[in-house]
Amino acid sequence: MSPPLQQAHDASELHRRWVSLARRLRLTVSILAEPPGGTPVLALESVAARAGEPAAYLSAGVHGDEAAPPWALLHWAEQHAPQVRDGSFLILPCLNPVGLQQNTRTDERGLDINRRFHLTRDPLARAWQRWITQRRMTIGLCLHEDYDAAGCYVYELGNHRSGLSAGILERMRAVHGRITPDPRSVIDGQRARGGVIRRKKLPTHLPGMPEAIELHLRGCPITLTFETPSELALHDRIDCQHAFIQTALQQLCP
């Protein structure tokens, strides 16, 4: 169930529900950062992931003005509790809780953390790097939104068979058809087809290192960055994000 619109940026309620769920599912909770006066940045791992089994990495809330992904990730975990409890997962529920609370892209420092994941001098990035080091991963799902989007779309990075994301988007139609793939042939300056931007090589000349690319460099074989149109209804966006998570996991981590 989607939160009321006025609660979409309630980072403390999101935090409370994740802590409760983690306790129930025996997830290990780590604190990556504690913003002054803000909600802590949590990192969760399932029992199987803690034992060293290759894990699915799920992340949301890097940009605080993209409210649907953190709630979708929570709703997915609540509705698929046995899967989360028994599977191998690394979960970052909301990497920018202050930004979520304030409805800003940047964090409490005024920084876009999705351009800083490579920086050892950045306290959050350094904590994330330590947490992710030597983890074995099967897939990384990084959940985002885009106010320019004409539909949902995926940035796909990894050495794998073609048609991966297209197949996920097609299967999503049976679950959630209200937000269809972005029809544009160029998205964010990248060639796209059917809502899929497939990166065969790492992009160059970036102003900083996004989470998905740094994750790939640190051993995650496939990273999918999923985007929904932030100007559409919140409950539709949450449902679409939820459908993407479950469909991707069903296809890649059966």
Side-chain angles (χ1 to χ4, degrees):
M1 184 176 181
S2 302
L5 187 58
Q6 65 270 24
Q7 293 182 1
H9 293 275
D10 190 343
S12 60
E13 174 62 10
L14 186 76
H15 174 86
R16 183 193 68 78
R17 286 172 60 176
W18 268 112
V19 170
S20 175
L21 184 64
R23 187 180 300 115
R24 180 159 58 93
L25 301 184
R26 296 184 296 133
L27 305 179
T28 298
V29 179
S30 301
I31 297 177
L32 298 188
E34 296 189 73
T39 303
V41 179
L42 301 182
L44 313 178
E45 56 184 327
S46 66
V47 173
R50 192 165 63 250
E53 291 188 23
Y57 174 102
L58 312 178
S59 170
V62 167
H63 294 136
D65 57 352
E66 301 169 8
W71 290 103
L73 185 54
L74 173 66
H75 291 170
W76 169 81
E78 290 177 335
Q79 293 180 27
H80 297 86
Q83 181 179 353
V84 177
R85 181 194 62 218
D86 300 333
S88 188
F89 292 100
L90 302 170
I91 301 175
L92 293 154
C94 185
L95 275 161
N96 184 8
V98 173
L100 180 66
Q101 193 74 45
Q102 297 178 350
N103 192 20
T104 58
R105 179 180 177 88
T106 57
D107 66 2
E108 69 280 359
R109 303 167 295 175
L111 299 173
D112 182 348
I113 63 176
N114 206 36
R115 297 295 182 267
R116 302 178 65 82
F117 277 91
H118 62 300
L119 297 176
T120 57
R121 69 177 183 272
D122 183 282
L124 176 59
R126 183 170 62 247
W128 177 85
Q129 291 167 18
R130 288 174 178 170
W131 187 73
I132 209 69
T133 295
Q134 296 184 341
R135 304 281 192 179
R136 292 192 298 158
M137 291 169 278
T138 55
I139 185 174
L141 303 183
C142 301
L143 309 177
H144 283 263
E145 299 203 88
D146 180 359
Y147 69 89
D148 284 330
C152 61
Y153 65 91
V154 184
Y155 284 99
E156 179 181 307
L157 176 61
N159 297 319
H160 52 275
R161 65 189 184 277
S162 62
L164 176 67
S165 294
I168 292 171
L169 294 179
E170 183 61 31
R171 286 171 174 80
M172 283 175 58
R173 289 178 182 271
V175 180
H176 179 85
R178 290 188 296 277
I179 299 179
T180 56
D182 195 315
R184 293 176 294 170
S185 60
V186 177
I187 299 175
D188 197 22
Q190 305 286 323
R191 291 178 60 185
R193 182 176 181 180
V196 177
I197 303 166
R198 190 169 185 225
R199 287 173 165 163
K200 299 179 181 179
K201 297 181 180 179
L202 293 176
T204 57
H205 307 299
L206 291 173
M209 192 63 74
E211 176 188 19
I213 297 177
E214 187 67 18
L215 190 68
H216 182 69
L217 291 173
R218 290 175 178 269
C220 188
I222 304 169
T223 63
L224 303 179
T225 301
F226 184 64
E227 307 261 3
T228 43
S230 61
E231 299 307 294
L232 298 186
L234 178 64
H235 66 274
D236 284 344
R237 289 149 46 204
I238 290 175
D239 288 349
C240 187
Q241 292 270 349
H242 183 156
F244 173 78
I245 297 167
Q246 186 60 15
T247 305
L249 292 175
Q250 286 174 342
Q251 183 160 331
L252 297 167
C253 307

mmCIF file of all heavy atoms in Angstrom, residues 52 58 119 123 154 159 181 199 207:
data_model
loop_
_atom_site.group_PDB
_atom_site.id
_atom_site.type_symbol
_atom_site.label_atom_id
_atom_site.label_comp_id
_atom_site.label_asym_id
_atom_site.label_seq_id
_atom_site.Cartn_x
_atom_site.Cartn_y
_atom_site.Cartn_z
ATOM 1 N N GLY A 52 28.195 -15.528 2.961
ATOM 2 C CA GLY A 52 29.067 -15.500 1.803
ATOM 3 C C GLY A 52 28.451 -15.939 0.498
ATOM 4 O O GLY A 52 29.137 -16.001 -0.528
ATOM 5 N N LEU A 58 20.337 -4.460 -3.837
ATOM 6 C CA LEU A 58 19.167 -3.626 -4.102
ATOM 7 C C LEU A 58 19.350 -2.288 -3.401
ATOM 8 O O LEU A 58 19.569 -2.242 -2.189
ATOM 9 C CB LEU A 58 17.887 -4.305 -3.593
ATOM 10 C CG LEU A 58 17.670 -5.773 -3.976
ATOM 11 C CD1 LEU A 58 16.393 -6.296 -3.352
ATOM 12 C CD2 LEU A 58 17.633 -5.942 -5.479
ATOM 13 N N LEU A 119 34.935 8.027 -4.177
ATOM 14 C CA LEU A 119 35.788 8.891 -3.360
ATOM 15 C C LEU A 119 36.027 8.295 -1.971
ATOM 16 O O LEU A 119 35.095 8.156 -1.171
ATOM 17 C CB LEU A 119 35.145 10.269 -3.217
ATOM 18 C CG LEU A 119 34.955 11.071 -4.506
ATOM 19 C CD1 LEU A 119 34.229 12.377 -4.222
ATOM 20 C CD2 LEU A 119 36.297 11.341 -5.170
ATOM 21 N N PRO A 123 32.839 10.513 3.494
ATOM 22 C CA PRO A 123 32.522 9.584 4.592
ATOM 23 C C PRO A 123 31.493 8.510 4.211
ATOM 24 O O PRO A 123 31.675 7.333 4.559
ATOM 25 C CB PRO A 123 31.972 10.511 5.687
ATOM 26 C CG PRO A 123 32.550 11.848 5.383
ATOM 27 C CD PRO A 123 32.651 11.928 3.896
ATOM 28 N N VAL A 154 15.583 1.582 -18.510
ATOM 29 C CA VAL A 154 16.661 0.889 -17.801
ATOM 30 C C VAL A 154 18.007 1.208 -18.431
ATOM 31 O O VAL A 154 18.155 1.143 -19.657
ATOM 32 C CB VAL A 154 16.468 -0.652 -17.849
ATOM 33 C CG1 VAL A 154 17.544 -1.354 -17.021
ATOM 34 C CG2 VAL A 154 15.088 -1.051 -17.374
ATOM 35 N N ASN A 159 28.482 -7.660 -18.998
ATOM 36 C CA ASN A 159 28.781 -8.592 -20.087
ATOM 37 C C ASN A 159 27.826 -9.773 -19.989
ATOM 38 O O ASN A 159 28.044 -10.711 -19.234
ATOM 39 C CB ASN A 159 30.240 -9.065 -19.986
ATOM 40 C CG ASN A 159 31.224 -7.927 -20.145
ATOM 41 O OD1 ASN A 159 31.030 -7.060 -20.983
ATOM 42 N ND2 ASN A 159 32.265 -7.924 -19.339
ATOM 43 N N PRO A 181 7.203 1.382 -21.282
ATOM 44 C CA PRO A 181 8.586 1.783 -21.564
ATOM 45 C C PRO A 181 8.676 3.107 -22.315
ATOM 46 O O PRO A 181 7.850 3.418 -23.174
ATOM 47 C CB PRO A 181 9.116 0.625 -22.408
ATOM 48 C CG PRO A 181 8.316 -0.553 -21.970
ATOM 49 C CD PRO A 181 6.941 -0.003 -21.700
ATOM 50 N N ARG A 199 24.728 -0.367 -22.051
ATOM 51 C CA ARG A 199 26.109 0.098 -22.028
ATOM 52 C C ARG A 199 27.045 -1.101 -22.148
ATOM 53 O O ARG A 199 27.113 -1.937 -21.236
ATOM 54 C CB ARG A 199 26.402 0.841 -20.728
ATOM 55 C CG ARG A 199 25.763 2.226 -20.661
ATOM 56 C CD ARG A 199 25.938 2.834 -19.292
ATOM 57 N NE ARG A 199 25.656 4.263 -19.304
ATOM 58 C CZ ARG A 199 25.426 4.971 -18.204
ATOM 59 N NH1 ARG A 199 25.434 4.386 -17.026
ATOM 60 N NH2 ARG A 199 25.181 6.263 -18.285
ATOM 61 N N PRO A 207 31.247 13.528 -14.531
ATOM 62 C CA PRO A 207 31.675 14.446 -13.473
ATOM 63 C C PRO A 207 31.978 13.735 -12.162
ATOM 64 O O PRO A 207 32.540 14.321 -11.243
ATOM 65 C CB PRO A 207 30.455 15.379 -13.320
ATOM 66 C CG PRO A 207 29.300 14.563 -13.808
ATOM 67 C CD PRO A 207 29.838 13.700 -14.906
#
